[in-house]
Amino acid sequence: MSMRAHSGEPDYRTNYRWGALVLAILFLVLLFRFFLLQIMRGGDYRKDQVRSAQRSERLAARRGKVLDRKGNVLADNVETYDLVMYPGRVKEPDLTAEKLRQLLWLDDEDDARMRELIRVGVDNKNRYGEVTIRRDLISDYCPDGLASLERLKQPLSVLWSQQTGAVYRPVEAGETQCPHDRSRKLRWNKYRTGAKCSDGIEYVAGTSDPYDGSILRERKFSARCPTNGRHYNNERAIVEAHLYEMPGLRVRRGLRRVYPHGRLLAHVVGYMNQVTAKDIESAPDGMYRPGDRIGRTGIEKVLETDLRGTWGERHILRDRLSVGQPVNERPDPENPDIAVESGLSARLTIDIELQKMVKRAMRWHRSGAAVVVHVDSGEILAMYSKPTFDPNSWSGRLSREEFRSVQRNPYSPMLNKAITAYAPGSVYKLITATAGIVEGRTDFRRVVGCRGFHEYGGRRFRCHNRYGHGELDLVHAMSRSCDIFFYRLGEELGMDVLHDYASRYFGLGASTGVELPESDGLSPTKNWHREHGGWMPGFTISTAVGQKDVRASPLQIARAYVGFAGQGELKTVHVLKQIEDAEGNARRVVRPAIESRLPLTEEERAALAEGFWRAVNDEHGTAFQARLDGIEVAGKTGTAEAAESKPGVEPDVAEWFKQDHAWFAGYAPARAPQVVVVVFLEHGTSGGKAAAPVAMRILKDYFSLHEPTGGEAIPLPNPIRSNRPPPSRPLKSQLQAQDTPINNSPINLD
């Protein structure tokens, strides 16, 4: 035993060995760590280092314009400011989102949407890319981009709901006049918590939302937009002043879509809004990213690929030469830039001046549509649906108040009624008459006795004239819109024959060719009825006068009358004239296609045309009171039963829903048709009293812009006669003498 150990002194050699062992282990761990970092994971870290020095920036392509036929701009681009995020530089996403909520006064829905964009951007594999988290920061211009904001002398104080984003002005509970305009009265709700002024401004008594009871907060606005009367703040200036608190964010200058004519062509041109997850998934990889915009309705949607162009991308390397020196940016030699290709422009067939005239002609009616189509070319010169909406709001940041007003509007302002199918009423009689002539079930000298009703299957089908029209031939039955004549004619033809003529020769139940997402309507058959509730023979009688389940849009009816007036050729109709580049060079020109020809002789077509002429120009015609001086118009009125009900509407609106639809379909000049006009007034009461005057006003305005052309497409005799010889070809049916009433003809219990 060592004397040192025996004396209790430490054994330095043993401690040294243990110390050497610990150091060796630590060295091996450190060596292994170096090996792991440099060898095993070195490639990954080198990639991260390179990636952190790289920056990719998407370059937006200038979206193509939308023009009318004369080159007037219907949709264009204006400069705007977007808030973008570089996820790899965002240190505290939640704190950043909360700061933005406070600066921009985001409601719960907008806040949730922004937080989701930030979350997706941060979690995305491409953390060094760019993500748009807020578009169209309000700067010096109104959200529609059409006017400068007016700075207020004193900030406007309002009450604001964080839950819904609704804005109210405070008012005393007992007030009766609008505080901002003492000549207007306040309309209080039944709880006396909120009121609305007659100009739409909403007030609240207290600090609770009158709709959901949520607590309201005080908020101030510093500017006013003269075009819509709403108040705003300069969001761009506010955000830029606080960017130092939110690393990874910057304000980027960009382009936004604006519509100079606002509501006038909203349904035709459409609007844009942000892409959804579904849009991104369904598009080619990389075409859209969160925050991008896409055409949502109208031409903007249908021509999205042409208008959008090709977006580019710029790749940059960021070098810091030394500590304290500015970052140097240079092109990345290994990643060439992707060039930007501007979108093509779309020139429409619409005449903006005529569109304004159509809007003015319909100003006294609540809801409906009007279409003007050129006979020879099939071009749609005007298409107006009422009520409408502001595409500038829907393409920007739609206010909660405007969204709510659209949702509550019983007249469906977002619906393009010009391409939506409704019961056509008596304008359908063109089809029934054509089928009856060609199938040999009638001619122009046979008469029918109208007593005001027709008995069939134990039920009375009434004429619109309760006292009856007496004895009428086809020409006068058409001009006076005698239902009894067409009940019997439809009864003999049968449902499937009516369907064949409606679809084959007049295009009902199918696309018109227009470059818009339209309704196909319905031309029912017996089998269709059997599959949808059951078939009854009486359905044919109603279908013959455009009732029961037959459905057609105003544009489909216009196309049918273009086919009749234009040499008997059923053409496709178009709202797109051509696709062109920025210099106006046509890349693609749209031309009508002829799909079928009416199997009528010239004499038969002229005789039917006389019926349409008499409907407007004969003193007994259904549109006689609306006739024009100096312009011969031919056409057909229609009144379709369409009573319906909607809960929760005002009493006057409920009464309006009970009225019939009103139609007029016509063309002018009657002897050489140049244009076809179709007017549909939803629950408009009467075709002759309501729709026909609107159509005449449109035609009068049209011919104030265009001189009638020469030629005689429809050879009407001069003067027009009431009695006609039989058709030049033999009848297909086995009907008896010419003067035999049609009531005695064989009946097809189809």
Side-chain angles (χ1 to χ4, degrees):
M1 177 181 294
S2 170
M3 181 174 292
R4 186 182 298 270
H6 179 74
S7 63
E9 295 182 9
D11 187 350
Y12 291 105
R13 287 178 296 178
T14 302
N15 291 343
Y16 174 79
R17 286 194 293 269
W18 280 107
L21 180 62
V22 170
L23 288 175
I25 293 173
L26 291 175
F27 177 77
L28 290 174
V29 170
L30 184 61
L31 185 64
F32 175 76
R33 183 62 176 168
F34 284 152
F35 176 80
L36 183 65
L37 293 177
Q38 297 293 328
I39 307 301
M40 300 295 294
R41 296 182 182 176
D44 294 337
Y45 287 115
R46 278 192 295 274
K47 290 179 181 178
D48 283 346
Q49 183 181 12
V50 172
R51 194 180 298 126
S52 65
Q54 291 176 334
R55 183 164 69 86
S56 297
E57 185 179 63
R58 294 180 78 208
L59 305 175
R62 178 173 286 272
R63 193 173 179 89
K65 298 179 181 180
V66 180
L67 313 170
D68 84 336
R69 64 186 302 110
K70 297 177 182 177
N72 296 303
V73 177
L74 307 180
D76 204 352
N77 310 291
V78 296
E79 191 174 80
T80 187
Y81 299 92
D82 301 333
L83 182 61
V84 298
M85 174 185 71
Y86 297 98
R89 305 180 202 170
V90 176
K91 297 179 180 178
E92 310 234 8
D94 292 337
L95 292 179
T96 298
E98 186 60 33
K99 187 66 177 179
L100 288 173
R101 176 172 189 148
Q102 296 172 9
L103 294 175
L104 299 175
W105 290 82
L106 302 179
D107 59 46
D108 288 346
E109 184 176 337
D110 286 343
D111 179 59
R113 186 183 299 116
M114 178 174 287
R115 287 178 186 272
E116 178 65 13
L117 286 171
I118 293 174
R119 185 193 64 78
V120 171
V122 171
D123 293 344
N124 196 298
K125 293 180 180 179
N126 184 18
R127 299 184 67 248
Y128 299 97
E130 183 181 88
V131 178
T132 303
I133 60 173
R134 182 74 168 176
R135 281 194 173 274
D136 301 332
L137 294 174
I138 294 170
S139 182
D140 299 321
Y141 291 88
C142 296
D144 58 15
L146 303 177
S148 297
L149 287 175
E150 299 174 346
R151 191 166 187 82
L152 300 176
K153 294 181 180 179
Q154 294 291 335
L156 175 68
S157 181
V158 299
L159 294 173
W160 175 77
S161 170
Q162 182 171 298
Q163 281 71 24
T164 65
V167 174
Y168 306 94
R169 298 193 191 181
V171 67
E172 296 295 330
E175 187 62 75
T176 57
Q177 270 81 34
C178 302
H180 73 287
D181 186 351
R182 307 299 295 181
S183 65
R184 300 174 183 268
K185 290 186 177 181
L186 281 174
R187 300 193 305 272
W188 288 86
N189 62 26
K190 62 181 180 179
Y191 304 107
R192 308 294 294 177
T193 56
K196 182 178 289 187
C197 199
S198 54
D199 60 0
I201 295 178
E202 293 192 85
Y203 291 85
V204 65
T207 58
S208 298
D209 192 302
Y211 294 100
D212 59 19
S214 60
I215 300 300
L216 301 176
R217 298 169 55 193
E218 184 180 3
R219 180 180 180 184
K220 293 185 178 181
F221 291 109
S222 61
R224 177 183 177 275
C225 177
T227 57
N228 61 20
R230 295 192 177 92
H231 294 83
Y232 303 94
N233 290 317
N234 190 325
E235 296 176 340
R236 173 198 172 195
I238 293 172
V239 171
E240 286 183 336
H242 292 82
L243 282 178
Y244 72 94
E245 301 177 53
M246 300 176 288
L249 268 60
R250 77 178 181 94
V251 175
R252 180 190 63 193
R253 182 178 297 178
L255 297 172
R256 184 168 62 79
R257 204 66 160 169
V258 295
Y259 305 90
H261 296 280
R263 299 172 182 270
L264 184 63
L265 272 163
H267 291 104
V268 175
V269 178
Y271 69 92
M272 302 177 66
N273 63 15
Q274 289 192 16
V275 295
T276 63
K278 184 177 180 181
D279 295 326
I280 297 174
E281 291 173 3
S282 60
D285 290 343
M287 183 173 182
Y288 297 105
R289 297 181 188 175
D292 286 356
R293 290 191 174 176
I294 190 172
R296 191 58 68 190
T297 63
I299 289 295
E300 294 278 28
K301 176 182 179 179
V302 175
L303 300 181
E304 168 69 14
T305 303
D306 293 307
L307 294 171
R308 176 180 171 82
T310 302
W311 285 37
E313 194 164 6
R314 181 169 56 197
H315 302 286
I316 297 172
L317 286 178
R318 307 171 75 249
D319 299 328
R320 187 182 296 275
L321 301 178
S322 63
V323 177
Q325 294 295 319
V327 175
N328 179 46
E329 294 187 347
R330 57 188 175 84
D332 186 349
E334 296 183 3
N335 292 303
D337 294 345
I338 300 175
V340 175
E341 293 183 16
S342 296
L344 299 173
S345 294
R347 186 178 293 267
L348 306 187
T349 61
I350 296 291
D351 184 333
I352 193 64
E353 294 303 319
L354 181 60
Q355 184 83 359
K356 293 176 182 177
M357 294 174 173
V358 172
K359 176 185 177 182
R360 185 169 62 245
M362 293 189 66
R363 65 188 180 279
W364 303 116
H365 300 278
R366 304 189 192 198
S367 178
V371 180
V372 182
V373 183
H374 195 272
V375 170
D376 291 337
S377 65
E379 293 180 347
I380 300 170
L381 305 178
M383 176 187 286
Y384 183 70
S385 178
K386 184 179 180 180
T388 181
F389 63 94
D390 185 0
N392 291 299
S393 296
W394 285 78
S395 291
R397 287 205 315 277
L398 184 67
S399 69
R400 192 71 56 191
E401 304 90 74
E402 187 166 358
F403 178 78
R404 249 186 346 208
S405 68
V406 168
Q407 291 295 99
R408 295 171 181 173
N409 193 320
Y411 308 117
S412 304
M414 301 302 293
L415 183 66
N416 186 352
K417 298 176 178 68
I419 53 177
T420 302
Y422 302 90
S426 292
V427 295
Y428 184 91
K429 290 175 180 176
L430 165 63
I431 298 167
T432 307
T434 300
I437 294 167
V438 177
E439 292 298 314
R441 293 292 181 174
T442 189
D443 59 24
F444 295 98
R445 296 181 63 181
R446 298 185 57 237
V447 297
V448 59
C450 174
R451 296 179 296 167
F453 64 88
H454 170 58
E455 291 187 353
Y456 178 76
R459 177 187 169 188
R460 283 192 173 186
F461 292 82
R462 294 195 173 275
C463 185
H464 72 90
N465 185 339
R466 300 292 179 175
Y467 302 101
H469 291 95
E471 292 189 342
L472 296 172
D473 60 15
L474 180 57
V475 169
H476 290 82
M478 185 70 78
S479 67
R480 302 182 189 185
S481 199
C482 175
D483 293 325
I484 305 304
F485 190 101
F486 291 93
Y487 286 156
R488 292 306 306 266
L489 188 54
E491 191 178 355
E492 294 184 1
L493 290 167
M495 176 68 78
D496 288 345
V497 173
L498 289 174
H499 163 78
D500 288 342
Y501 278 81
S503 58
R504 183 185 307 173
Y505 299 115
F506 294 98
L508 268 61
S511 170
T512 63
V514 69
E515 299 81 2
L516 292 172
E518 62 179 325
S519 167
D520 287 343
L522 177 64
S523 178
T525 62
K526 287 190 293 183
N527 283 336
W528 183 91
H529 279 288
R530 291 188 182 107
E531 294 170 359
H532 295 80
W535 160 253
M536 294 182 64
F539 292 168
T540 303
I541 293 177
S542 296
T543 299
V545 295
Q547 291 282 179
K548 194 60 178 76
D549 292 293
V550 60
R551 294 289 183 272
S553 69
L555 185 59
Q556 287 177 319
I557 295 298
R559 183 192 182 201
Y561 277 76
V562 166
F564 175 81
Q567 301 292 338
E569 297 174 343
L570 181 69
K571 305 183 183 77
T572 54
V573 294
H574 299 277
V575 75
L576 176 64
K577 192 174 184 69
Q578 66 183 34
I579 298 293
E580 57 188 45
D581 58 24
E583 287 72 37
N585 301 312
R587 295 288 188 89
R588 185 170 80 247
V589 178
V590 178
R591 305 189 188 282
I594 298 175
E595 297 189 346
S596 65
R597 288 179 170 81
L598 288 181
L600 293 171
T601 66
E602 285 300 309
E603 293 85 356
E604 291 165 346
R605 201 162 67 92
L608 270 181
E610 181 179 340
F612 295 136
W613 183 90
R614 286 186 174 276
V616 179
N617 300 283
D618 187 292
E619 62 178 340
H620 299 293
T622 54
F624 178 72
Q625 297 300 322
R627 70 195 183 283
L628 295 175
D629 293 332
I631 303 174
E632 276 192 328
V633 180
K636 183 75 191 73
T637 59
T639 304
E641 295 178 1
E644 57 180 315
S645 62
K646 272 192 177 181
V649 298
E650 298 291 333
D652 66 315
V653 179
E655 191 63 29
W656 174 80
F657 272 117
K658 297 177 183 178
Q659 304 300 321
D660 297 334
H661 293 330
W663 290 81
F664 180 84
Y667 51 86
R671 299 169 190 273
Q674 192 169 334
V675 290
V676 163
V677 173
V678 171
V679 172
F680 163 74
L681 300 178
E682 188 176 16
H683 302 295
T685 67
S686 166
K689 295 179 181 178
V694 174
M696 298 303 165
R697 175 61 188 267
I698 293 172
L699 287 169
K700 183 178 180 180
D701 288 339
Y702 173 83
F703 286 109
S704 71
L705 300 175
H706 305 84
E707 287 293 328
T709 56
E712 295 217 354
I714 298 182
L716 297 176
N718 194 6
I720 294 179
R721 298 171 296 173
S722 60
N723 294 320
R724 294 198 160 275
S728 58
R729 64 181 179 182
L731 295 174
K732 294 182 181 179
S733 65
Q734 301 299 320
L735 299 180
Q736 301 301 314
Q738 293 173 345
D739 293 331
T740 302
I742 197 169
N743 285 350
N744 296 331
S745 301
I747 303 225
N748 180 358
L749 297 179
D750 185 18

